[in-house]
Amino acid sequence: MKLVIENLHFRYHPKAEKIFNGFSLSVEEGEILAVLGSSGCGKSTLLRIISGLEENAQGSIRIGNTVFQNKLLFVPVEKRNIGFVFQDYALFPFMTVEQNIKFGMKKPSSEQLHQLLELTQLKGLENRYPHELSGGQQQRTALARTLASKPALLLMDEPFSNLDTNLVDELRKDLKRIIKSQKITTVLVTHNKEDADFLADKIVQLSAE
Amino acid sequence: MNILKKTNIKRKVSIRTLLAFLFIIIINLPIIAIISRVNFSSNDNWEHFKQYLLLDAVSNTFYLVLFTLLLSGIIGVLFAVIVALFDFPLKHLFKWVLYIPITIPPYIAAYVYAGMLSYTGIIQRLCRSWGIDLKPQWLDIMNLRGAVFIYSITLYPYIYGAVKSFLENHSGNLVDTARVLGYKPIKLFGKVILPLIRIPLIGGLMLVMMEVVSDYGVVKYFNIQTMSSTIFQSWFGMGETGVAIRLSFYVMICIIALQGIEEIMRGRKKYVIGSGRGRPIKPVKLKGFKGYAVIILITLFIGIAFIVPVGQMLVWAMLAFYKVNLSNLNQILFNTLIYCILATVLILALNVWIAHSRRWMAAKSGLIMSKLTQLGYSMPGAIIAVGTITVFVAIDGLLHPLYRYFDPNSKKLLLSSSITMLVFAFVVRYMAIGFNSVNSAFAKIGVKYNDAARTLGIGRTKAMMKIELPMLKSSLITGFILTFIDIIKELPLTLLLRPFNYNTLASRVYEYANDERIHEASVPALIIISLSTLAVILLVRISSGKGGIKKR
């Protein structure tokens, strides 16, 4: 679904500097957008605002035909159906891979679980706990958990920052394959231009003023 | 476009935060009641107290606080430094054994030592049988100096624990740097360690001070006039509620002022190394004589603070066992566990809600919330008791028509004559203990798991229940145990706020001891100590990862 952000304004508290001042953006359905920028320019904040985790932003956010935020309205994060893969994945440490993925499903089904395990190449690892997985496997588990909720939009925060550089090439290919197979509109933020060039259909450069 | 839904309209404050503040207001009602009812006008009763009791009460309280802080501070810091900085045989056993004296409530230690040192006690009898002539006044413990001794040997673990864990976890680099620069142990202690441990030391000293100011059992038994005993005496002995409230208000102001002064004195100085930069300390091995000297020192101390009084109680308990009504004891144990568990569970539930809500609040509001949650702990038990009774009598007055609607013969003081009042007072008094465990655990895991769960379609509170609470299991158990130990040991609130004929272990110990039936008092006293010791052992096992809790 198409994502449209219009005239976004945001600051963390009334005395802080504005992070966004009239920012607008649109991402077409099925498109992968990479937001590129240095530390502190507001990349991750943008994802948090889109997802609804930051509640004090002003402006309008629309996904498809649904308005999630405007002057009068704020749809809470849990009602937005937006998938978010966090920088450190935030896998629930006391749950196995299978339990983590099932947590994302509205109606847990074995069939969907198997499809996701297949898609993310996690077969055979279902009973492992997050700390028993490699960085790449953890990332794929987080992605599978997010896809399990069948989100209208996928957000990814620095998807490769926690991984060894020698693994990144292969993981980029995996990630692109999975996202494209799901035809899901995606916004990812990164500070690495190579990641953005490889994965994205469109790149936006943010800079701290 | 989709139509606006009512539930999605922007809200400034969440129900979660409002509820948290409502809980905080409720738990501070006793303090609000005291502030609102204090009357500064001079009358005969006040003048009488001022003339005959106040000076003694103030000077005795000051003496007890000052000298207990000094002695318990020396004991606590000495053992903390020995355990943190040095390696010696059996250290892993001793570092936990040094916590054990905290399981003996000061009033029980007072009864035991007074009994042991009395004319008919074991010490004087032994001396007489060996022909040693001891003047009775040499062994008289029932005075200010004796109270300082009792408080110090039972309360020093507050200081020991705080200083030891700080030294073990934060001071490695600094102590090593000083050693490399050639600092000898005494200079190292004075120039580096003492300034470093200032914050945990003052934290521990504040806890000891609160316990001393709050205490009623020791001073009542030793017949020492203090602020706490004067408040009790004026309210419950003489019915002078105005005087009790006025005294409570003054004590409360002094404690808040002391805490304020400490914060101002701390100022901008930094005593804690930023997270991740403090390195655990590497202890120096004590060889030969020095190692054994440390073992003898700790063993002697634990002997005085725990083994001797508990051993004496065991002997007394065996002598008096047949005199104690055991079936009645079951009921007393049941009563005690009921209010301890009820209050502890309530404290943890409220703390989970408040600490959970706090995470999404602005820094200033969050800080105010923390301070208000912990206010009750800085108030002596006498003040909480006075405030709680005031609040419950007022609530009963308001609800009396409702009671009569359901039962025309209902008595007026329904809530204030039930266990509810006692449980509420414990919640007010001990919220801070649970809050520290729960709040720091929530702070440690942050909000990322909650955020992740919310992006998967579940609300904040449900996310907390399903994801964060299982992760906080060991912190919650720690909070439960710490709170439980404090509540089971507590005397003044139990004594004054329990329903009529509702006997508890603490109240039974107090009653036996006041009837000079020390032998009988040993049976319930030993049960309190056993339960607390079990709780401490469980705590130690959890801290060292042996509590059966899987750590993933």
Side-chain angles (χ1 to χ4, degrees):
Chain A
M1 282 192 227
K2 185 177 177 177
L3 164 72
V4 179
I5 300 172
E6 283 169 345
N7 200 23
L8 186 73
H9 293 261
F10 180 78
R11 54 171 55 141
Y12 272 102
H13 56 88
K15 286 180 187 165
E17 260 183 56
K18 268 198 171 178
I19 293 176
F20 293 107
N21 193 4
F23 177 83
S24 297
L25 171 83
S26 85
V27 188
E28 294 302 321
E29 183 164 358
E31 201 172 46
I32 301 179
L33 171 84
V35 180
L36 204 59
S38 53
S39 297
C41 70
K43 303 188 297 289
S44 299
T45 307
L46 177 65
L47 295 191
R48 291 180 65 81
I49 293 170
I50 297 171
S51 68
L53 287 168
E54 290 300 339
E55 297 176 5
N56 298 323
Q58 286 167 350
S60 102
I61 298 174
R62 208 170 68 226
I63 297 175
N65 278 334
T66 311
V67 178
F68 283 162
Q69 187 168 334
N70 63 20
K71 253 187 185 171
L72 300 167
L73 169 88
F74 180 84
V75 177
V77 51
E78 55 269 25
K79 293 184 183 171
R80 290 192 181 197
N81 193 26
I82 293 178
F84 198 141
V85 178
F86 291 85
Q87 190 169 356
D88 57 3
Y89 316 131
L91 292 171
F92 306 135
F94 59 96
M95 291 186 188
T96 60
V97 169
E98 182 179 325
Q99 288 164 334
N100 262 288
I101 297 173
K102 278 188 170 169
F103 189 89
M105 297 177 188
K106 267 128 204 153
K107 284 182 188 159
S109 89
S110 305
E111 200 189 325
Q112 196 195 354
L113 173 73
H114 287 295
Q115 281 171 3
L116 286 166
L117 288 171
E118 196 96 50
L119 179 72
T120 50
Q121 295 171 343
L122 289 167
K123 279 238 155 166
L125 304 174
E126 304 85 311
N127 295 321
R128 292 213 186 158
Y129 285 93
H131 71 275
E132 295 167 337
L133 300 173
S134 70
Q137 290 164 343
Q138 285 183 14
Q139 188 201 49
R140 292 206 299 277
T141 308
L143 187 59
R145 182 179 70 181
T146 306
L147 294 176
S149 66
K150 297 185 178 157
L153 175 74
L154 176 65
L155 306 173
M156 298 188 81
D157 191 1
E158 298 278 5
F160 304 109
S161 66
N162 278 340
L163 302 171
D164 289 343
T165 40
N166 54 345
L167 293 173
V168 165
D169 274 351
E170 202 171 322
L171 291 168
R172 273 192 204 128
K173 283 181 205 159
D174 275 349
L175 188 63
K176 189 163 184 174
R177 173 183 60 79
I178 296 167
I179 297 173
K180 283 294 178 187
S181 73
Q182 300 298 299
K183 298 190 178 92
I184 186 168
T185 312
T186 302
V187 179
L188 64 92
V189 303
T190 177
H191 63 275
N192 185 331
K193 194 168 178 316
E194 272 181 57
D195 292 344
D197 286 339
F198 184 86
L199 287 165
D201 302 312
K202 196 157 86 179
I203 297 174
V204 169
Q205 175 82 42
L206 276 189
S207 57
E209 278 179 20
Chain B
M1 292 285 151
N2 282 2
I3 301 163
L4 295 181
K5 284 183 189 165
K6 206 178 169 188
T7 53
N8 295 331
I9 290 173
K10 283 189 176 178
R11 272 197 309 253
K12 284 261 179 200
V13 185
S14 70
I15 294 171
R16 184 190 60 254
T17 312
L18 280 177
L19 257 181
F21 269 111
L22 181 69
F23 291 149
I24 289 174
I25 291 171
I26 292 172
I27 58 171
N28 281 301
L29 277 178
I31 295 163
I32 297 169
I34 286 176
I35 295 172
S36 65
R37 284 196 56 192
V38 65
N39 178 2
F40 295 106
S41 62
S42 193
N43 55 33
D44 288 350
N45 297 335
W46 175 252
E47 288 304 321
H48 172 83
F49 269 90
K50 213 166 91 176
Q51 197 174 345
Y52 297 107
L53 297 172
L54 201 57
L55 188 65
D56 270 356
V58 171
S59 61
N60 288 344
T61 306
F62 184 73
Y63 180 102
L64 289 175
V65 168
L66 184 71
F67 287 100
T68 304
L69 291 188
L70 204 64
L71 188 56
S72 60
I74 291 170
I75 298 170
V77 171
L78 176 71
F79 287 131
V81 169
I82 289 176
V83 167
L85 266 58
F86 302 104
D87 237 343
F88 49 90
L90 300 175
K91 173 179 163 173
H92 287 289
L93 172 71
F94 281 128
K95 78 176 184 183
W96 295 115
V97 166
L98 280 164
Y99 282 111
I100 294 288
I102 206 168
T103 60
I104 305 187
Y107 62 92
I108 292 179
Y111 303 152
V112 178
Y113 264 98
M116 279 166 58
L117 295 168
S118 68
Y119 184 76
T120 51
I122 184 157
I123 310 268
Q124 294 215 33
R125 275 192 288 124
L126 269 180
C127 287
R128 280 198 299 274
S129 67
W130 291 334
I132 303 169
D133 184 27
L134 282 176
K135 287 191 177 159
Q137 62 266 35
W138 291 353
L139 294 175
D140 181 18
I141 197 171
M142 295 176 77
N143 49 37
L144 283 168
R145 275 176 289 123
V148 167
F149 167 76
I150 295 292
Y151 290 137
S152 301
I153 61 167
T154 51
L155 300 176
Y156 82 89
Y158 286 115
I159 297 160
Y160 164 75
V163 174
K164 180 182 81 79
S165 64
F166 182 88
L167 280 174
E168 281 179 340
N169 296 319
H170 292 283
S171 59
N173 292 336
L174 300 168
V175 171
D176 284 353
T177 306
R179 278 174 180 158
V180 170
L181 290 170
Y183 277 50
K184 294 275 183 312
I186 293 173
K187 200 173 168 195
L188 178 79
F189 180 78
K191 293 271 181 189
V192 180
I193 292 173
L194 213 50
L196 256 182
I197 60 170
R198 184 170 173 263
I199 301 288
L201 175 60
I202 289 177
L205 288 173
M206 286 296 239
L207 290 179
V208 172
M209 183 187 80
M210 288 315 310
E211 293 288 333
V212 174
V213 175
S214 259
D215 177 68
Y216 179 63
V218 178
V219 290
K220 174 79 174 43
Y221 193 65
F222 285 4
N223 202 16
I224 299 169
Q225 192 78 37
T226 62
M227 288 302 278
S228 184
S229 66
T230 310
I231 292 170
F232 278 110
Q233 201 180 334
S234 54
W235 181 291
F236 302 99
M238 303 176 182
E240 300 288 358
T241 51
V243 173
I245 287 178
R246 192 164 169 180
L247 286 175
S248 300
F249 180 79
Y250 288 145
V251 175
M252 203 165 87
I253 295 298
C254 285
I255 285 163
I256 292 173
L258 266 178
Q259 287 175 337
I261 290 168
E262 150 55 14
E263 285 207 9
I264 292 165
M265 275 169 63
R266 198 187 307 168
R268 282 171 36 248
K269 278 188 191 169
K270 198 177 169 190
Y271 293 90
V272 183
I273 306 147
S275 63
R277 279 188 289 152
R279 191 175 56 76
I281 203 159
K282 194 171 183 304
V284 176
K285 205 168 176 70
L286 289 179
K287 288 176 192 158
F289 166 75
K290 285 179 185 168
Y292 292 111
V294 165
I295 294 177
I296 292 168
L297 177 72
I298 298 176
T299 313
L300 273 177
F301 179 77
I302 293 297
I304 293 170
F306 188 79
I307 298 168
V308 170
V310 171
Q312 175 67 85
M313 271 187 275
L314 278 170
V315 173
W316 285 343
M318 281 190 276
L319 289 172
F321 204 64
Y322 67 94
K323 292 187 206 163
V324 179
N325 183 345
L326 286 179
S327 61
N328 193 12
L329 206 61
N330 280 343
Q331 182 61 43
I332 291 171
L333 181 61
F334 178 75
N335 287 351
T336 307
L337 288 176
I338 283 287
Y339 75 76
C340 286
I341 290 170
L342 265 177
T344 309
V345 168
L346 204 56
I347 285 171
L348 276 193
L350 288 174
N351 274 323
V352 163
W353 189 270
I354 293 169
H356 162 66
S357 310
R358 210 207 120 159
R359 293 182 295 170
W360 288 280
M361 290 172 66
K364 255 189 191 163
S365 320
L367 189 71
I368 292 171
M369 199 178 225
S370 302
K371 292 266 176 206
L372 289 177
T373 307
Q374 299 178 73
L375 195 58
Y377 192 63
S378 58
M379 298 297 142
I383 298 178
I384 303 290
V386 167
T388 304
I389 292 175
T390 311
V391 169
F392 270 73
V393 168
I395 293 174
D396 270 338
L398 278 174
L399 295 181
H400 190 226
L402 193 71
Y403 303 157
R404 291 192 61 179
Y405 175 78
F406 289 107
D407 174 11
N409 299 321
S410 168
K411 53 183 179 179
K412 191 176 179 190
L413 300 178
L414 194 69
L415 281 178
S416 32
S417 58
S418 72
I419 191 180
T420 319
M421 187 163 74
L422 179 63
V423 170
F424 176 81
F426 278 127
V427 172
V428 174
R429 176 95 171 87
Y430 292 113
M431 272 295 280
I433 309 259
F435 185 75
N436 288 334
S437 311
V438 175
N439 191 46
S440 58
F442 267 121
K444 217 171 181 178
I445 60 168
V447 292
K448 67 177 180 180
Y449 296 107
N450 199 287
D451 282 352
R454 289 170 68 214
T455 62
L456 296 167
I458 64 171
R460 265 182 188 151
T461 305
K462 204 170 167 191
M464 183 261 288
M465 304 285 275
K466 288 183 87 166
I467 302 299
E468 292 171 315
L469 285 192
M471 292 172 69
L472 299 180
K473 200 159 66 181
S474 57
S475 300
L476 292 177
I477 295 173
T478 304
F480 184 94
I481 294 171
L482 287 173
T483 316
F484 182 86
I485 293 175
D486 262 329
I487 294 179
I488 201 168
K489 280 169 53 190
E490 209 279 344
L491 178 69
L493 289 178
T494 321
L495 208 56
L496 295 165
L497 303 180
R498 72 199 156 114
F500 181 69
N501 258 348
Y502 188 91
N503 288 312
T504 69
L505 289 170
S507 71
R508 190 34 67 95
V509 174
Y510 174 84
E511 283 161 5
Y512 276 137
N514 267 291
D515 293 346
E516 293 299 331
R517 294 163 72 189
I518 299 292
H519 293 191
E520 285 92 327
S522 301
V523 179
L526 279 172
I527 298 175
I528 294 179
I529 294 167
S530 309
L531 287 172
S532 305
T533 307
L534 271 178
V536 169
I537 291 169
L538 196 61
L539 202 63
V540 168
R541 287 180 66 83
I542 291 169
S543 313
S544 53
K546 292 175 190 165
I549 293 163
K550 283 182 189 170
K551 284 191 176 171
R552 295 274 177 203

